[in-house]
Amino acid sequence: MCGIVAAAARREVSEILLEGLRRLEYRGYDSAGMALLDNEGNLLLHKQLGKVSELERVQALQPHYGCTGIAHTRWATHGEPSAANAHPHISGDRLALVHNGIIENHATLRDELKAAGYDFASSTDTEVIVHLLHYYLQQGLDLLEALRQAVARLEGAYAIAAVDADHPDQVVAARQGSPLVIGVGIGENFLASDQMALRQVTDRFIYLEEGDMALISPSSLQVFDQQGEAVSREQTRIDEVVESVDLGGYDHYMLKEIYEQPRALAATFSAGAGLLSDDACFGDNAADIFDRVRNVQIVACGTSYHAGMVGRYWLEELAGIPCEVEVASEFRYRKRVQHEGTLLLTISQSGETADTLAALRNAAPGEFVGSMVIANVDNSSLVRESDLVFLTRAGAEIGVASTKAFTTQLVALLMLTIALGRRGGMEPETQRELVNALQRLPDYVQETLELDTNIEALSEAFIPKHHALFLGRGIQYPIAMEGALKLKEISYIHAEAYPAGELKHGPLALVDDDMPVIAVAPGDELLEKLKSNLEEVRSRGGELFVFADRAAGFESEPRVRVLNMPHCPEAMKPVIYTVALQLLSYHVAVQKGTDVDKPRNLAKSVTVE
Ligand code: AGP
């Protein structure tokens, strides 16, 4: 999704801005742009549809240099992807501005500004901000005050950075609902929507808070709160080595990340050493909050929501704790009644998903006994704003399709189940068994990865298909949902998941020889019921792909293809079946020739509603 990088320095910054954009590329975008102020105070602009490499190409052909600048990758919300709609947007040849977020009252503001004589060069919501800023500067206000007046008119979410040719060494910024961080340098300062973009120039960061505004120059940085008071925000040093984000010999990040799972799962589990006796891995106040938890409300989006659904089975079945799970975009707008003693648990790879963040922020005072997040990105908004934090150790996930983030979220959820279960009378023997299973999980996943060639062979049958049906029962139902999501997002094959028992209540009508049916069929207690559901499919000419425990008694036969899965403890099955389905989607997508790591229309981090 959209990314911002900005710099105010004494050295030339075009390469710093471009490198920042390259580091944000994985988030998904459709166009990119950069504005620089040169030594003579000229505003120089490049904007391109397509990749950052396109922007680099025009910068090489017609170099722009300057010590102050802003740059942006855009993911279209208002107005189609085009060079005209790419940021920065300009006003009066002196001002340039980049924006992440959505301005909800842009139409009203546009009419007002047109009436005041402003011409619009794009169909974006963002352009109203730069003209508003220009309007207030024309009233004689200084740059910061003009920005304050401009953002006071905005409804919606924004992270903004702007430069003005009349203030050639300054960048001003504001945030509300979208993240923005200052990178603190020596004789230079920076801004970005994600610290990742600035790790090549600094390891010191100041995270702006809701409603903050900032002004940076090479020699100073100032932050102001919503009331306009100068404030001092905490500076964070990020020491960890920036992980290599190259392909490491794999054809795609998604495949690399699928194969990284044994290591990621082990690292995530090792963060909870001592889990059987203390709660340290969830944060300082964990014991106090957990002692008061009687229910859990999980809120998340997409793949993270599927992890939450798996978590519900564990929390209810293993820990005896009532649990609700809801997608954040619904939860945030619903009038709700909470049971007493409810923990609000958000799950998010990025920690920046707008709907999930809004769900946390909208929680009424006293509605929950506390909030906890399971996230993969340290210092993300959800991490900074939650009472308790469990960081998954998946490492950077670049592929838009979430893989290792999901399975590490499952590990975190099982660890939370153990921590809460300890209080609710979960037998010590059960706790130990779960911990042992988690310890061996990387081996089971490794065994599953070794089935890659067999899974690739199965995938060929999907190439001519336009639809697919995924079936699962019990805890494997959310795994079927996750399998369907993976297939649709990267191969563009329409896929739906159903609890297998729902088949004859409607979807069976769709089954014919053109509709592959994928069944997640570990040998659990629901196996016999699942077998009869599968018979229903077969007797209607459907083609079945059964992912089954090798001990479950499924055998391949005409129109039934069975993948024998490793045998492992019950609680580990959701993880290993997920890995197999990830590989299936991956191979289908590769053979269909889609953009596996950056599927069309999708973004890695969904920071707008
Ligand atoms: C997963 O493959 C998707 N790309 C998407 O559903 C994702 O899980 C969702 O947008 C939530 O993101 P988050 O985990 O960063 O909050």
Side-chain angles (χ1 to χ4, degrees):
M1 204 144 267
C2 301
I4 290 175
V5 195
R10 296 197 176 99
R11 56 174 162 156
E12 204 286 308
V13 295
S14 62
E15 186 40 46
I16 293 173
L17 297 179
L18 287 168
E19 173 59 18
L21 293 187
R22 284 191 284 270
R23 287 164 179 255
L24 296 177
E25 273 193 294
Y26 76 96
R27 296 161 67 104
Y29 67 103
D30 48 59
S31 51
M34 172 169 76
L36 291 160
L37 292 174
D38 72 8
N39 288 340
E40 279 91 51
N42 299 310
L43 182 64
L44 307 170
L45 185 68
H46 279 317
K47 303 207 286 187
Q48 286 293 308
L49 178 64
K51 307 272 180 204
V52 173
S53 54
E54 277 302 299
L55 192 63
E56 290 165 356
R57 191 180 57 75
V58 294
Q59 167 73 1
L61 287 174
Q62 191 193 341
H64 288 170
Y65 299 118
C67 298
T68 306
I70 54 178
H72 191 262
T73 45
R74 173 175 188 254
W75 188 82
T77 57
H78 294 68
E80 77 283 0
S82 68
N85 287 338
H87 304 202
H89 291 285
I90 56 169
S91 189
D93 290 335
R94 62 177 279 193
L95 271 179
L97 178 143
V98 291
H99 161 230
N100 287 359
I102 289 178
I103 304 306
E104 287 162 5
N105 59 336
H106 70 98
T108 319
L109 293 171
R110 181 179 275 253
D111 290 346
E112 199 180 299
L113 286 158
K114 275 184 177 168
Y118 283 93
D119 289 331
F120 280 76
S122 78
S123 41
T124 64
D125 53 339
T126 299
E127 199 180 347
V128 299
I129 315 175
V130 74
H131 293 318
L132 268 180
L133 181 56
H134 184 271
Y135 173 82
Y136 287 113
L137 280 168
Q138 296 295 96
Q139 313 295 306
L141 301 178
D142 68 26
L143 186 55
L144 199 66
E145 190 49 36
L147 183 63
R148 193 186 321 282
Q149 297 294 332
V151 298
R153 305 288 316 281
L154 306 179
E155 289 166 19
Y158 52 81
I160 293 167
V163 291
D164 174 12
D166 288 351
H167 301 81
D169 64 345
Q170 297 180 357
V171 181
V172 285
R175 76 152 281 190
Q176 179 75 50
S178 295
L180 206 54
V181 62
I182 297 176
V184 183
I186 299 168
E188 53 190 16
N189 288 301
F190 307 91
L191 280 156
S193 48
D194 180 337
Q195 49 86 12
M196 278 267 284
L198 300 176
R199 294 298 294 280
Q200 85 270 23
V201 282
T202 185
D203 58 0
R204 290 181 296 146
F205 297 96
I206 294 172
Y207 290 90
L208 296 184
E209 295 185 6
E210 284 296 85
D212 277 357
M213 292 184 54
L215 186 152
I216 60 165
S217 72
S219 54
S220 69
L221 64 86
Q222 295 162 271
V223 181
F224 303 88
D225 67 11
Q226 211 139 19
Q227 285 68 44
E229 299 294 325
V231 282
S232 155
R233 299 271 180 241
E234 195 189 338
Q235 198 175 110
T236 309
R237 188 169 211 123
I238 299 185
D239 288 328
E240 90 229 22
V241 179
V242 186
E243 273 179 275
S244 134
V245 285
D246 62 25
L247 280 166
Y250 289 90
D251 288 341
H252 297 98
Y253 284 109
M254 183 181 177
L255 188 63
K256 176 177 180 245
E257 288 158 7
I258 290 173
Y259 271 82
E260 281 171 351
Q261 288 178 107
R263 187 202 55 77
L265 296 165
T268 300
F269 175 61
S270 70
L275 179 68
L276 288 175
S277 53
D278 70 48
D279 309 297
C281 61
F282 301 102
D284 291 343
N285 295 333
D288 176 42
I289 292 178
F290 286 176
D291 284 347
R292 290 181 284 136
V293 171
R294 300 290 169 267
N295 309 280
V296 176
Q297 171 68 63
I298 299 179
V299 180
C301 301
T303 287
S304 297
Y305 167 69
H306 297 153
M309 288 183 72
V310 174
R312 175 173 58 188
Y313 283 93
W314 283 333
L315 284 163
E316 297 207 337
E317 285 180 20
L318 300 172
I321 295 181
C323 176
E324 300 284 336
V325 192
E326 192 165 349
V327 287
S329 52
E330 290 297 316
F331 180 85
R332 62 181 288 194
Y333 289 117
R334 190 167 63 76
K335 276 205 175 139
R336 28 181 216 254
V337 181
Q338 293 301 342
H339 298 288
E340 241 178 75
T342 299
L343 173 72
L344 175 63
L345 174 61
T346 57
I347 307 175
S348 173
Q349 186 285 130
S350 61
E352 298 292 354
T353 300
D355 284 321
T356 313
L357 193 54
L360 172 68
R361 288 178 178 165
N362 291 354
E367 188 181 359
F368 298 99
V369 290
S371 60
M372 173 174 161
V373 65
I374 294 174
N376 192 43
V377 179
D378 199 3
N379 286 304
S380 54
S381 300
L382 279 163
V383 167
R384 283 180 287 114
E385 296 180 31
S386 299
D387 299 327
L388 303 177
V389 174
F390 184 93
L391 280 179
T392 49
R393 270 59 169 185
E397 191 179 67
I398 306 293
V400 164
S402 189
T403 52
K404 58 180 182 171
F406 176 72
T407 50
T408 54
Q409 286 167 351
L410 296 187
V411 167
L413 283 160
L414 194 54
M415 290 166 72
L416 177 67
T417 303
I418 297 170
L420 294 177
R422 266 198 278 121
R423 295 164 161 83
M426 184 193 278
E427 292 297 329
E429 181 55 22
T430 310
Q431 295 171 38
R432 270 194 302 276
E433 274 171 20
L434 290 172
V435 165
N436 288 341
L438 281 167
Q439 253 155 5
R440 296 199 309 273
L441 179 60
D443 298 334
Y444 301 126
V445 170
Q446 191 56 46
E447 244 188 282
T448 309
L449 291 171
E450 281 156 23
L451 298 172
D452 195 2
T453 319
N454 306 13
I455 296 171
E456 187 175 4
L458 287 187
S459 71
E460 284 161 24
F462 289 77
I463 313 307
K465 308 291 185 196
H466 297 100
H467 308 276
L469 207 55
F470 285 71
L471 301 178
R473 269 187 173 268
I475 200 166
Q476 297 295 346
Y477 168 49
I479 299 307
M481 291 173 79
E482 174 58 12
L485 178 63
K486 284 289 91 87
L487 189 68
K488 66 185 134 190
E489 73 180 323
I490 62 165
S491 76
Y492 315 150
I493 292 176
H494 168 230
E496 296 299 332
Y498 277 91
E502 275 291 292
L503 193 61
K504 52 182 151 325
H505 299 290
L508 196 54
L510 295 171
V511 172
D512 61 14
D513 60 2
D514 204 30
M515 170 74 90
V517 177
I518 300 103
V520 189
D524 59 21
E525 60 195 27
L526 294 171
L527 180 65
E528 288 312 315
K529 286 187 192 301
L530 185 67
K531 278 183 177 167
S532 25
N533 298 142
L534 299 183
E535 250 341 289
E536 291 160 8
V537 170
R538 203 157 58 131
S539 56
R540 279 147 186 97
E543 190 176 4
L544 275 167
F545 296 82
V546 184
F547 288 69
D549 190 297
R550 59 182 172 229
F554 280 108
E555 278 175 23
S556 290
E557 52 187 283
R559 303 197 67 74
V560 181
R561 299 179 63 179
V562 176
L563 184 87
N564 283 312
M565 291 286 291
H567 190 62
C568 71
E570 238 12 76
M572 300 301 106
K573 286 179 179 169
V575 178
I576 69 163
Y577 282 75
T578 297
V579 173
L581 295 179
Q582 291 167 351
L583 286 169
L584 178 71
S585 296
Y586 172 76
H587 289 300
V588 175
V590 168
Q591 290 175 74
K592 289 197 72 179
T594 57
D595 189 346
V596 173
D597 287 330
K598 295 188 190 116
R600 67 187 181 199
N601 307 336
L602 298 182
K604 181 68 185 162
S605 180
V606 184
T607 49
V608 293
E609 212 181 324

